Amino acid sequence: MSLNIQEVLKRLGIEKVNSGICTGYGEWFPIEGRKQLVSYNPTTGEPIAAVTEANAEDYEKVMQSQVKAFEEWRMVPAPKRGEVVRQLGEELRKYKDDLGALVSLEMGKIYAEGKGEVQEMIDICDFAVGLSRQLYGLSMHSERPGHRMFEQWHPLGPVAIITAFNFPVAVWAWNSALAAVCGDTSIWKPSSKTPLCAIAVQHIANRVMKNNGLTGIFATIVGDRRNVGEKMLADNRIKLVSATGSVAMGKRVAEVVGMRLGRHLLELGGNNAIILDKSCDMDMAVRAILFGAVGTAGQRCTSTRRIFVHKDQSAELCRRLVKAYEQVNIGDPLDEKTLMGPLIDSGAVETMMAAVEELKKDGAEILYGGKKLDRPGCFVMPTIVKAKHDLRLVHEETFAPLLYIMDYNDLEEAIEWHNEVPQGLSSAIFATNLLAAERFLAANGSDCGIANVNIGTSGAEIGGAFGGEKETGGGRESGSDSWKFYMRRQTCTINGTKELPLAQGIKFGD
Ligand code: UN1
């Protein structure tokens, strides 16, 4: 697919990107006196656009609009808020191809995955619309006669959304669609590697807000750590900080937001593994591993990084995987034949190459890849490494298509090794033996937030709660009851009598 970026941007409503619009909550700020942030195309290494960064005053202006908008938005009935999110989903449907292409262009994932990401936005909007009529509280039986207890859920306040480059649009939608139906306003700090995607999304959101006579429900602020990131963390007006990114970043969020007793929702690193039980269907497993490890060039937090295979089946698996890797077309993510695009930037390429060197030094065997490609852009070969389970790097998340194969003797050993890393996001077992699958799902099985059977580690649906344990941060986004993060719970007890009995049967001055 040949892509004219100016045409795509025009269709998305971004006409003057090089004049540096940066921040919006219904209107855009002027550019004078603000720094420029250059966005690069990882496929060519060339700049796509210069985007203007917000300064400290811009931040303050956006925050004030957020607080003001929240005061009104929280009083709008939830199903009416859902109607606005329904319209957002409709707009996203219209721009699925263009926005998907922009994701491919700026982030480097292949077009099918770029469009898939926009589909994930549409899905969460649909989910949120239904949710807007279901923000249920429980009712409880009081121990006192004629009393009634129930809980209700109220909007929380402005929510900060900090996202990473690898899902430059979908993770915003997981958070902002839920926040909006919950009655919160949201302020988005996108990755400084993918600002154009964020600007495009904000344009779409602006149209929806305008059609409904609203401003400030959805806001975006492109800016650096000092002027925007740190300010958000320390800002008491922000009631929830939902952050996706590295463990180091998450610890900083937890520290600063925790110190002011604010709420945070963290989705940090993963080191996701698949166990191949002896009973597995190996054809299925190989396909799942390929998508999990090579998809998005290994830059999903759910990417498959570790494989545990029975020692008797290891040679067969390695042979099949190498064969599958040989067929992977690497190149322009917008070319339909491409299966793997570039890494996000040259820093990511260097990190991967340094990892390969360390692995070799530590005695691991490179079965496939291990090299960068000799062409412009940030291209590497997807890499398969035969490794020992306890190597330093095997316990780390290298954000690249680097896959470790480890041989085990029995399932118990595989589960022990599976759980020995600090991260706890996604996990999977391939097994046709029910007992093996159930063992993996037992309380002493996988310790991750996501545990799949006969499905790979990546590509979760929005309907489930998404997130993980340990260093992954403990947060849950998107489906199930993740919405509860975005609301405050209020327990109410009503006395419908003329008596005033005390709980626990206490007599006080009677
Ligand atoms: C991420 O990498 O931050 O489950 C999110 C998946 C996608 C989301 C990944 N639905 O792979």
Side-chain angles (χ1 to χ4, degrees), residues 406-446:
M406 276 109 20
D407 300 354
Y408 68 78
N409 291 294
D410 61 51
L411 187 58
E412 292 305 313
E413 182 174 68
I415 290 174
E416 189 188 321
W417 292 352
H418 175 278
N419 288 346
E420 73 186 357
V421 296
Q423 310 83 356
L425 179 55
S426 186
S427 62
I429 190 167
F430 275 75
T432 57
N433 175 346
L434 179 68
L435 299 186
E438 288 290 345
R439 172 68 188 86
F440 183 70
L441 297 180
N444 61 351
S446 164

Side-chain angles (χ1 to χ4, degrees), residues 4-316:
N4 179 335
I5 171 72
Q6 294 310 332
E7 285 289 310
V8 170
L9 292 176
K10 206 167 155 197
R11 281 201 295 272
L12 287 166
I14 312 176
E15 308 231 358
K16 291 186 300 184
V17 73
N18 287 314
S19 64
I21 42 189
C22 62
T23 293
Y25 54 94
E27 58 182 270
W28 297 97
F29 284 170
I31 62 167
E32 289 79 32
R34 290 154 179 87
K35 264 188 358 205
Q36 295 285 302
L37 171 70
V38 178
S39 172
Y40 291 91
N41 176 350
T43 305
T44 59
E46 284 164 3
I48 309 173
V51 173
T52 302
E53 290 192 331
N55 60 27
E57 288 104 80
D58 298 337
Y59 171 81
E60 190 47 38
K61 198 166 162 199
V62 175
M63 263 326 293
Q64 284 177 13
S65 89
Q66 287 282 289
V67 171
K68 194 164 157 282
F70 172 70
E71 278 165 17
E72 288 175 22
W73 186 237
R74 67 179 164 182
M75 300 311 291
V76 173
K80 294 264 182 320
R81 300 192 295 246
E83 167 56 19
V84 174
V85 174
R86 189 191 66 76
Q87 292 174 29
L88 179 65
E90 288 298 302
E91 283 296 295
L92 288 166
R93 279 180 171 86
K94 279 192 223 153
Y95 292 101
K96 180 173 169 182
D97 291 356
D98 284 330
L99 193 54
L102 186 60
V103 167
S104 295
L105 189 86
E106 194 179 35
M107 183 276 160
K109 66 177 66 173
I110 61 171
Y111 189 37
E113 291 186 282
K115 283 189 288 189
E117 187 172 342
V118 183
Q119 186 59 47
E120 209 163 324
M121 303 174 86
I122 296 166
D123 293 344
I124 193 72
C125 286
D126 288 357
F127 178 87
V129 175
L131 195 61
S132 71
R133 291 181 186 267
Q134 301 177 71
L135 302 165
Y136 301 135
L138 297 172
S139 67
M140 303 86 171
H141 288 267
S142 170
E143 66 191 47
R144 288 170 278 188
H147 285 53
R148 176 164 86 80
M149 279 188 356
F150 64 93
E151 60 188 19
Q152 55 180 352
W153 293 86
H154 284 311
L156 186 65
V159 171
I161 305 170
I162 299 174
T163 59
F165 75 87
N166 65 332
F167 272 79
V169 294
V171 176
W172 169 79
W174 294 354
N175 285 282
S176 62
L178 291 197
V181 297
C182 289
D184 303 335
T185 53
S186 60
I187 172 169
W188 181 19
K189 180 189 181 303
S191 163
S192 54
K193 293 173 186 177
T194 50
L196 262 192
C197 287
I199 289 174
V201 168
Q202 183 65 41
H203 269 83
I204 292 171
N206 279 356
R207 270 201 298 282
V208 174
M209 287 192 285
K210 194 165 170 221
N211 291 342
N212 290 278
L214 299 164
T215 59
I217 311 304
F218 308 102
T220 295
I221 185 155
V222 176
D224 63 20
R225 183 172 166 171
R226 189 171 54 89
N227 280 329
V228 177
E230 287 289 332
K231 281 207 161 60
M232 280 175 158
L233 304 189
D235 197 329
N236 262 320
R237 292 169 294 186
I238 292 178
K239 301 303 173 198
L240 167 68
V241 176
S242 174
T244 304
S246 69
V247 173
M249 181 276 293
K251 285 185 174 164
R252 178 72 188 154
V253 173
E255 184 188 349
V256 181
V257 179
M259 273 306 287
R260 63 173 171 92
L261 300 180
R263 204 183 280 183
H264 52 70
L265 192 175
L266 300 175
E267 204 257 283
L268 312 175
N271 192 353
N272 318 297
I274 299 181
I275 296 177
L276 271 60
D277 180 58
K278 261 191 119 170
S279 70
C280 76
D281 177 330
M282 200 177 281
D283 287 340
M284 274 173 73
V286 167
R287 281 167 48 210
I289 295 168
L290 188 69
F291 177 66
V294 175
T296 327
Q299 298 171 109
R300 292 191 186 212
C301 24
T302 50
S303 289
T304 307
R305 310 205 181 280
R306 299 177 298 144
I307 301 295
F308 296 105
V309 59
H310 190 274
K311 62 180 186 339
D312 295 346
Q313 295 174 329
S314 178
E316 165 78 358

